[in-house]
Amino acid sequence: MSIQIVSIGKDYNGLCEDGTELSVLSLYLKHPYLYWDLHIEESHSVFKVYKVKVRSRDNMEIVVHECPDWDTFASDLQSSLATVAGGDIILLKFAIENKPLFLDIKNNFPPLLKQIFSPRCVPVIVLAFGFRDRPSCSCPMCTSDREVCVSPLEGLQLAKDIGLGATYLELPNLYPRNVQIYFGEVMEYYILQTMKQKSAATKSRKRSQALKVNPPKLGQPEKMPDLKDEPSQYISDIKSLLDHGRCVDVVFCTADMNPTSAAHRVVLCSVSSVFMLLFGVKSAKDSCTQKTAKSLFSVHQEPEASTRNSPVRVIVKDVLFHKCLPDILHFIYSGASDWQLLEQQLKEKLNDPEEVNHVSHRVQSLLSKSDTGSGKQLPLWESLGLFFNNTLLSDVIFQVQDTKIPAHRAVLVARCEVMAAMLSGSYMEANRALVPVYGISKDTFLAFLEYMYTDTCCPASVLQAMALLIYSEMYQVSRLQHICERCITTQLQSVPSRELALTSLNVVSLLRKAKFYNFENLYTWLLHFVATHYLIFSQKQEFQDLSAEEQNFVEAHKWPSDSYLAQLAEYRRYIYSPRCRCAVM
């Protein structure tokens, strides 16, 4: 067995007792009680190689590869790095007063060492030779010797940057006593640790060679079934409100009160502060919004009795704007983002470029968010989401348990066909301001409404996701079903095995519900999940609730398989058998 030591850098000259140029390693390895029979091998192009026997160990030697100069090391970098890669202990040397060399080592060498030895950890000794003219001060106000000498803090930081268990040492001279005490003890510690590691690796290798039975290889579990994804229909759902004219509560008119277009206050207010001011949702904070509202619109005041259930009539003052109003409304209901399409439609309807610029500027003023402190137009699902669980402009209230939750018929009708039939058809809920909801918790219903407004959903737990999945199936919101299924599977896969064994969550109960409500994809996924964690679920009481067909499926797809468990048991019997132990001994 041999230990490879790679030393790079020049030792501090001129302070050896007999005046000869000896290296710190050669001085240390001449210790008569530790090492003997030191002889120099044929020199490498970069490194000087010599070997020494370890006195306390038979067949144990130390091989030193010593490069006395950093420039020589860099002259044949590829060969030098190959030698460093084979080292068991690395020694980096520089003079304390040679600050440029230190900075060069600091900038270039730590990344090379990490690249060479990753993921292996190799001890590195950073050794600084010499002494400073006067003790350097480490306080922030003192700058003595900082430009010409390497400070202790800089040396320690270099060792920290190298990592790999690097150690920083300072050696003022090459007196043998100093070398043995300060440098020798650290080197001896690393040599002993390396000996132990290599000895343990040798024993492990011999033991592996002695074993005639190789350990079984555990394959990967079966791939979980893919769950369906459904693209968002949010924009098309909101546009359908405009196309079909359902739940309209705003009618745009000419100056002589002829109705031309219909819209919805909640959508208009979600994208424009001008409409918020116009419909009394909030007061304007700047004069620009007030000016735009007055120049474009005016609300027709009608008797209170006739306006109780009828749409608000809005007179459009600007003739050109009114001419392009259908296109502008489609632009708003499409998310108010495709300006290129709007300009093309304006050009087709208006022949004069000045008129096109006039209407385009009007639309920009209409959608400006200057009064809110943000000039950026939010996506429609974010701006409309501001009205979620908000009493502003709400025209329906749901009674869930002991809580009243406000909502907007237009949003619900656009996003859910069942809600559309319930709130705008011949059902009694169509004419009721307070709609009771049964069989669902407040939190689950709020999560359902949040999806209606924002097109996103994030259930707090697996059980809430399952409840929301059942509710979305009841209201036939297919994309929400797929989101809930994905949420259930993601949360289950994130549970560590130890917590899965201790959790009170009944996965078999989830499987029963998935089968009862015909969630076929989720049902199949849960069966595979139980099979993949067979060793955990087979010990649970709920495992007995599986049907015979389901148990047969789990047994057929379980992981680890019976064949692997049998091979593992055979391997363990062989390892712990007396014959195997005697072979190792």
Side-chain angles (χ1 to χ4, degrees), residues 195-215:
M195 284 181 180
K196 291 179 181 179
Q197 291 177 4
K198 289 202 167 190
S199 177
T202 302
K203 290 181 179 180
S204 176
R205 186 166 56 253
K206 289 182 178 179
R207 180 179 178 86
S208 299
Q209 293 173 354
L211 295 176
K212 296 180 180 179
V213 177
N214 294 324

Side-chain angles (χ1 to χ4, degrees), residues 313-536:
R313 292 180 176 269
V314 177
I315 299 172
V316 183
K317 298 179 180 180
D318 191 309
V319 177
L320 292 177
F321 187 90
H322 187 271
K323 184 177 181 181
C324 302
L325 185 59
D327 296 325
I328 296 172
L329 288 177
H330 274 89
F331 170 72
I332 291 175
Y333 277 66
S334 299
S337 59
D338 196 348
W339 286 95
Q340 187 176 0
L341 177 61
L342 177 63
E343 289 181 358
Q344 181 181 350
Q345 293 171 343
L346 294 179
K347 290 177 182 178
E348 293 176 356
K349 189 160 291 187
L350 304 172
N351 296 325
D352 189 353
E354 292 186 2
E355 293 180 351
V356 173
N357 291 335
H358 169 77
V359 176
S360 178
H361 178 71
R362 286 289 197 179
V363 175
Q364 291 177 5
S365 301
L366 179 68
L367 301 181
S368 174
K369 291 287 185 178
S370 59
D371 64 324
T372 63
S374 172
K376 185 178 179 180
Q377 184 69 38
L378 294 175
L380 186 57
W381 49 85
E382 288 190 27
S383 58
L384 199 56
L386 297 176
F387 287 88
F388 163 65
N389 199 18
N390 194 329
T391 56
L392 291 175
L393 300 177
S394 65
D395 51 7
V396 63
I397 296 177
F398 292 97
Q399 179 78 40
V400 185
Q401 295 175 335
D402 297 330
T403 306
K404 293 181 179 180
I405 302 173
H408 304 80
R409 292 177 187 268
V411 177
L412 302 180
V413 167
R415 300 283 286 142
C416 176
E417 290 298 329
V418 175
M419 284 281 188
M422 183 176 73
L423 297 176
S424 62
S426 58
Y427 293 91
M428 64 178 181
E429 289 85 357
N431 299 316
R432 293 180 61 174
L434 184 64
V435 178
V437 178
Y438 305 103
I440 187 173
S441 67
K442 178 193 70 173
D443 293 336
T444 304
F445 187 76
L446 281 173
F448 178 78
L449 282 187
E450 184 178 13
Y451 172 79
M452 296 290 104
Y453 281 80
T454 65
D455 203 42
T456 59
C457 174
C458 188
S461 65
V462 173
L463 294 179
Q464 188 184 72
M466 177 58 77
L468 186 57
L469 172 61
I470 296 172
Y471 199 73
S472 61
E473 191 276 335
M474 183 188 308
Y475 281 87
Q476 299 178 15
V477 186
S478 59
R479 183 169 182 270
L480 180 56
Q481 294 180 42
H482 297 147
I483 292 176
C484 291
E485 289 180 344
R486 182 75 64 181
C487 180
I488 292 171
T489 58
T490 301
Q491 291 195 34
L492 285 177
Q493 285 181 314
S494 66
V495 179
S497 297
R498 180 175 297 180
E499 293 184 16
L500 192 63
L502 301 175
T503 183
S504 59
L505 179 66
N506 193 326
V507 177
V508 176
S509 175
L510 297 177
L511 187 143
R512 296 264 70 80
K513 290 181 179 179
K515 184 176 183 180
F516 180 81
Y517 289 101
N518 294 320
F519 303 139
E520 296 182 3
N521 293 330
L522 180 61
Y523 173 75
T524 305
W525 190 95
L526 289 172
L527 270 180
H528 277 274
F529 183 76
V530 173
T532 303
H533 299 83
Y534 178 82
L535 296 179
I536 294 176

Side-chain angles (χ1 to χ4, degrees), residues 213 216 564-577:
V213 177
Y564 170 80
L565 295 176
Q567 293 174 13
L568 182 62
E570 179 64 26
Y571 175 72
R572 286 175 173 172
R573 281 195 297 270
Y574 183 82
I575 285 180
Y576 296 111
S577 64

Side-chain angles (χ1 to χ4, degrees), residues 64 129 172 175-176 185-186 217 232 236 288 300 412 529 572:
V64 177
F129 283 101
Y175 290 148
E185 291 184 359
V186 175
K217 293 183 178 180
S232 174
S236 60
C288 293
H300 178 67
L412 302 180
F529 183 76
R572 286 175 173 172

Side-chain angles (χ1 to χ4, degrees), residues 264-294:
H264 306 81
R265 288 185 297 172
V266 65
V267 178
L268 298 177
C269 291
S270 68
V271 298
S272 172
S273 301
V274 173
F275 286 117
M276 284 189 175
L277 175 64
L278 194 67
F279 299 129
V281 174
K282 67 175 184 178
S283 59
K285 295 181 180 180
D286 67 325
S287 58
C288 293
T289 302
Q290 297 177 359
K291 183 178 178 181
T292 302
K294 289 181 180 180

